[in-house]
Amino acid sequence: PNPASTYLRYEVGGEVQGRINVSLTDLNGRQVYSNTFVKSGKSPVQQTIHLQEHRLEKGYYLLNLQTSEHEVTRKVMVY
């Protein structure tokens, strides 16, 4: 959900394959979360970031997903 308070869930579509780098940065450019996973197969994959574990302050963050061929960035709000 966006805005989010306890967790942030994102989905990687079926057409995406290979290594996926995920990062969450605050608007000052400080990285507050990062993860890398490998996706194979054609089914979409859902991943969850548990925000309370990372003690994020309320505000806006940038969620970035990057593969060798694509990069997507979305603004998310934590409240």
Side-chain angles (χ1 to χ4, degrees):
N2 187 16
S5 62
T6 57
Y7 67 91
L8 180 62
R9 182 173 293 144
Y10 57 92
E11 183 173 296
V12 177
E15 68 282 356
V16 177
Q17 302 288 317
R19 178 184 295 258
I20 300 168
N21 298 309
V22 180
S23 65
L24 189 64
T25 57
D26 65 17
L27 295 184
N28 293 319
R30 183 176 60 102
Q31 188 176 60
V32 296
Y33 173 86
S34 67
N35 185 32
T36 300
F37 66 96
V38 177
K39 181 180 174 300
S40 59
K42 299 205 182 264
S43 298
V45 172
Q46 284 191 355
Q47 297 280 317
T48 301
I49 302 171
H50 297 279
L51 300 173
Q52 293 174 337
E53 291 177 14
H54 301 284
R55 297 186 178 130
L56 298 181
E57 295 182 16
K58 295 177 182 178
Y60 288 97
Y61 294 84
L62 298 175
L63 176 66
N64 180 271
L65 285 81
Q66 184 178 16
T67 69
S68 61
E69 298 177 10
H70 299 90
E71 183 172 9
V72 175
T73 302
R74 298 286 185 260
K75 185 188 274 187
V76 296
M77 183 176 126
V78 174
Y79 68 96

